[in-house]
Amino acid sequence: MRRENLKEALKRVRSNRGAPGIDGMTVEALTPYLKENWPRIREELLGETYIPQPIRRVEIPKPDGKGVRTLGIPTVLDRLIQQAILQVLTPVFDPHFSESSYGFRPGRGCHDAVVAAQAHVEAGNRFVVDMDLEKFFDRVNHDVLMARVARRIGDKRLLRLIRRYLTAGMMVEGVAQAREEGTPQGGPLSPLLSNILLDDLDKELERRGHRFCRYADDCNVYVKSKAAGERVMESVARYLEKRLRLKINRDKSAVDRPWNRKFLGYTMTSHLRPKLKVSPQSVKRAKARIKEIVRKGRGRSLPKVIGEITPFLRGWVAYFRLSQVKNVFEELDQWIRRKLRCILWRQWKKPRTRAGKMIRLGIERVKAFASAYNGHGPWWNAGASHMNAAITAKWLNQQGLTSLLAEHQRLACLA
């Protein structure tokens, strides 16, 4: 445990922040704790008597709304030690990983994977073998994984410490349950360990001459025909089960056209030169998040609601800045404006109040009163001409609303 490595690990843990583990210690409390206890912890690590604490189980809803994803939150001390190990292991393993592996790697990310996928389809591989590994982070076999770590790491003490992290219990309703498989998401080491295990799959796909993109446990292989794709699906399923003791989730996997599937939130058009676009599922999830914010915003001023929506919108459009199809941003802009107009219509409550507000916003008096008393509901009125004329896109922008289309165009100019 070199001093410089630990200082860098501490810096990363602080910047990542995150929730406390089972001991309740916060990131802010870590430094004072280390000043007092590090000599003892160091001796325990060197003497192989250090025992990682059980991880705290946190369940979060999956993006598709079907079921939950289990995260394991280590204590901040264990996050520090894992981060220090990660910084030692990454330069040993990462240079040997496949060029087609993009997840959790220095200098690589989702956008690189999406651009590579587009290039594979453009090159004539018009079918995709979209493989979803069944409960991957919960099913990793510890013996299989450690055998692959040991290929490049000869330090037995370090190997035993890594295994202790793999087998550290998970606290469930106050009881620590032992783990015999899996490397739950939440700790700094899990992403690298997943890449170490799945590097065998990458090398096998390369040996067979396949074009593919893998981001963590999300792997797409691009082929020229459906028959070829079905052969790949079956042979890879056999390989995964025999060599890595992993299974493909048949319900979520498929051989299909790339424009019928999503990859990292994107899909693409069916043109000869395919264009990247936001997948329908990603739009649906964005709407669900905006609805959640708006629902909480009832009764509050519109600028406050917009202030809550804006950070999400900026992050969302920044992620989807590679999209070459702009109508998604236009349509979502219109939908968001209608949601905000709906908030105002509800807040105005009485027809006379609505008429007065619209008159002050420039609507002719007769039309304002006719609209205020039309008997239709908030959503209908939010999409009607009188509210579009009263609450214009320009007016909403002046209240601080970010236009997805304008922001996307701005980011495209910067690229």
Side-chain angles (χ1 to χ4, degrees), residues 142-389:
H142 292 169
D143 291 335
V144 174
L145 171 57
M146 289 308 301
R148 278 140 187 83
V149 177
R151 287 173 182 172
R152 296 189 182 278
I153 301 297
D155 187 329
K156 302 296 183 185
R157 187 165 50 191
L158 179 55
L159 291 172
R160 283 190 282 268
L161 180 58
I162 294 170
R163 184 178 277 274
R164 281 184 178 178
Y165 274 114
L166 288 173
T167 57
M170 181 177 284
M171 194 65 77
V172 180
E173 296 180 354
V175 178
Q177 296 183 352
R179 289 208 327 270
E180 296 180 357
E181 62 179 6
T183 170
Q185 295 163 280
L189 261 179
S190 289
L192 176 64
L193 294 177
S194 70
N195 275 336
I196 291 172
L197 180 64
L198 292 175
D199 188 55
D200 274 25
L201 171 62
D202 297 341
K203 295 298 192 289
E204 178 64 16
L205 292 173
E206 287 177 342
R207 187 186 67 78
R208 298 181 187 185
H210 290 308
R211 288 174 173 260
F212 70 97
C213 295
R214 184 178 66 77
Y215 192 97
D217 58 332
D218 197 349
C219 185
N220 281 3
V221 184
Y222 297 89
V223 295
K224 295 188 181 296
S225 70
K226 189 174 180 66
E230 288 169 348
R231 287 195 300 271
V232 170
M233 179 74 83
E234 294 309 313
S235 64
V236 170
R238 288 193 299 270
Y239 175 86
L240 286 168
E241 196 156 351
K242 182 178 178 182
R243 291 290 299 275
L244 303 181
R245 300 189 195 176
L246 296 170
K247 287 186 177 181
I248 287 176
N249 185 328
R250 297 288 182 168
D251 293 334
K252 294 183 179 180
S253 303
V255 178
D256 205 340
R257 297 290 195 178
W259 43 91
N260 294 332
R261 307 294 292 181
K262 66 178 177 67
F263 181 52
L264 300 175
Y266 282 84
T267 186
M268 57 186 80
T269 65
S270 59
H271 300 100
L272 198 59
R273 293 179 65 85
K275 293 182 178 181
L276 293 173
K277 60 184 285 190
V278 183
S279 73
Q281 298 95 322
S282 296
V283 174
K284 184 178 178 182
R285 286 200 294 271
K287 285 185 172 182
R289 177 65 184 129
I290 293 164
K291 281 180 182 177
E292 185 183 332
I293 295 170
V294 167
R295 198 174 298 118
K296 290 177 182 176
R298 287 181 186 174
R300 286 182 294 167
S301 70
L302 195 68
K304 283 190 176 179
V305 177
I306 289 172
E308 280 199 35
I309 291 174
T310 296
F312 170 76
L313 296 181
R314 288 189 185 281
W316 192 85
V317 74
Y319 180 79
F320 288 108
R321 66 181 181 271
L322 296 185
S323 176
Q324 297 159 306
V325 178
K326 68 177 184 178
N327 67 320
V328 168
F329 303 104
E330 289 178 308
E331 291 166 8
L332 200 48
D333 270 340
Q334 291 169 6
W335 181 85
I336 292 166
R337 289 195 289 265
R338 188 170 180 179
K339 290 296 288 186
L340 296 177
R341 292 180 184 120
C342 193
I343 288 176
L344 289 176
W345 189 264
R346 288 179 187 277
Q347 288 180 349
W348 293 343
K349 293 183 180 178
K350 295 180 180 179
R352 180 168 291 277
T353 303
R354 290 167 180 164
K357 292 283 188 181
M358 283 188 284
I359 290 168
R360 283 194 288 276
L361 287 163
I363 304 301
E364 193 270 329
R365 185 179 180 84
V366 173
K367 184 176 181 180
F369 272 93
S371 300
Y373 285 89
N374 63 31
H376 289 290
W379 184 246
W380 186 92
N381 278 284
S385 62
H386 52 272
M387 279 299 278
N388 275 267

Side-chain angles (χ1 to χ4, degrees), residues 52-73:
Q53 291 195 61
I55 58 179
R56 181 166 68 88
R57 185 173 74 171
V58 176
E59 292 182 342
I60 59 172
K62 289 186 176 179
D64 59 8
K66 298 176 182 176
V68 294
R69 176 177 286 115
T70 300
L71 299 183
I73 310 298

Side-chain angles (χ1 to χ4, degrees), residues 6-126:
L6 282 168
K7 285 174 68 176
E8 179 60 27
L10 181 58
K11 182 180 174 183
R12 290 291 182 90
V13 170
R14 280 177 181 159
S15 65
N16 291 339
R17 301 192 63 77
I22 62 165
D23 61 355
M25 187 188 297
T26 63
V27 172
E28 291 77 15
L30 180 59
T31 300
Y33 178 83
L34 290 172
K35 285 179 180 177
E36 187 175 336
N37 293 279
W38 180 248
R40 171 185 59 80
I41 297 165
R42 184 175 182 277
E43 286 304 312
E44 289 179 4
L45 289 167
L46 293 173
E48 298 189 56
T49 59
Y50 180 82
I51 305 296
Q53 291 195 61
I55 58 179
R56 181 166 68 88
R57 185 173 74 171
V58 176
E59 292 182 342
I60 59 172
K62 289 186 176 179
D64 59 8
K66 298 176 182 176
V68 294
R69 176 177 286 115
T70 300
L71 299 183
I73 310 298
T75 63
V76 289
L77 174 59
D78 283 323
R79 294 212 292 272
L80 171 72
I81 297 169
Q82 284 194 37
Q83 180 65 38
I85 295 171
L86 174 68
Q87 290 166 187
V88 170
L89 296 188
T90 297
V92 174
F93 285 95
D94 193 80
H96 302 279
F97 287 154
S98 167
E99 284 296 308
S100 298
S101 166
Y102 296 91
F104 310 114
R105 296 185 62 190
R108 291 174 155 244
C110 297
H111 289 162
D112 301 303
V114 169
V115 169
Q118 181 186 26
H120 293 328
V121 177
E122 195 172 304
N125 300 281
R126 311 283 281 181

